[in-house]
Amino acid sequence: MLKTKPSSMPTTLLLVLVFSGCGDLLLAFDEFIFGVVAFLLAQLSYAGVFRHHWQGFYNRWYLRVLLLIYMLVMM
């Protein structure tokens, strides 16, 4: 039988959904600052979940250039 290390990804994704739901709920009750903080925590949790997928991003200079161009156009 194949033995693998258990992943914490499902737990972290559940945490992200809870933070996002709390952000929606807090904004619905006009608690703007707390809602924004909840969304910030959700975004930081997303970054933690998907950080291992971005390891090759630094070697791809053309993606960085495209992202920079996109950001400048959007500004």
Side-chain angles (χ1 to χ4, degrees):
M1 180 178 279
L2 181 65
K3 293 184 181 183
T4 59
K5 186 172 70 170
S7 173
S8 65
M9 188 170 180
T11 306
T12 309
L13 284 176
L14 181 62
L15 186 66
V16 167
L17 291 175
V18 168
F19 283 140
S20 296
C22 287
D24 285 333
L25 191 63
L26 289 166
L27 289 177
F29 288 114
D30 293 330
E31 296 292 336
F32 181 76
I33 297 298
F34 295 116
V36 170
V37 168
F39 281 121
L40 173 67
L41 291 173
Q43 291 299 318
L44 292 174
S45 299
Y46 270 126
V49 168
F50 296 112
R51 74 177 178 263
H52 64 277
H53 293 289
W54 286 89
Q55 290 175 351
F57 182 72
Y58 297 109
N59 297 331
R60 299 180 188 147
W61 62 270
Y62 56 91
L63 288 178
R64 289 188 285 174
V65 170
L66 287 174
L67 184 60
L68 182 62
I69 291 170
Y70 175 76
M71 289 175 11
L72 291 173
V73 168
M74 287 315 219
M75 285 178 26

